[in-house]
Amino acid sequence: MTLLTTVFAAIICTIIWYKNENARSLKVGTLVLIYWGASLMWLIDAVFAYAEEGADSFVPAPLDMLNDFYLGLSVVALGLIIWLVILFVKDPKGVVRAALFKKNK
């Protein structure tokens, strides 16, 4: 489930990045790389689990699937947090800078 969750997040973000010019200026490409990197990590984990356990690794208990889904959602949320921090630090549109240095009249 972790692999599926991160792959779906990566595909959705890739489509948004590809279709929307504004998304490129908002550094969505960084988010895409984060999610594809996480997907690659979970794919390698699945390959090694298959090598150790065989086909039994693809038949988890329902509780294990739920736990894996929560872990996948946590990875997606952490990726979003990292992207938001990068977005606020880089501030491509100058919104944060304008809000910080706004003078009250």
Side-chain angles (χ1 to χ4, degrees), residues 1-3 5 42 60-75:
M1 288 300 289
T2 50
L3 176 61
T5 307
W42 294 121
L63 186 60
D64 291 337
M65 288 179 61
L66 184 63
N67 287 337
D68 286 347
F69 180 66
Y70 286 147
L71 180 60
L73 288 179
S74 299
V75 169

Side-chain angles (χ1 to χ4, degrees), residues 3 8 10 17-22 27 48 50-51 67 69-70 74 78 81 83-84 90-91 100 102:
L3 176 61
F8 285 140
W17 172 81
Y18 186 75
K19 294 273 186 181
N20 192 346
E21 185 69 34
N22 192 29
K27 309 290 184 202
F48 276 92
Y50 180 75
N67 287 337
F69 180 66
Y70 286 147
S74 299
L78 181 62
I81 290 169
W83 173 68
L84 283 173
K90 300 266 181 165
D91 195 20
L100 289 175
K102 179 179 163 183

Side-chain angles (χ1 to χ4, degrees), residues 82-100:
I82 292 169
W83 173 68
L84 283 173
V85 168
I86 291 170
L87 187 64
F88 286 141
V89 169
K90 300 266 181 165
D91 195 20
K93 295 196 175 204
V95 175
V96 175
R97 182 174 297 153
L100 289 175

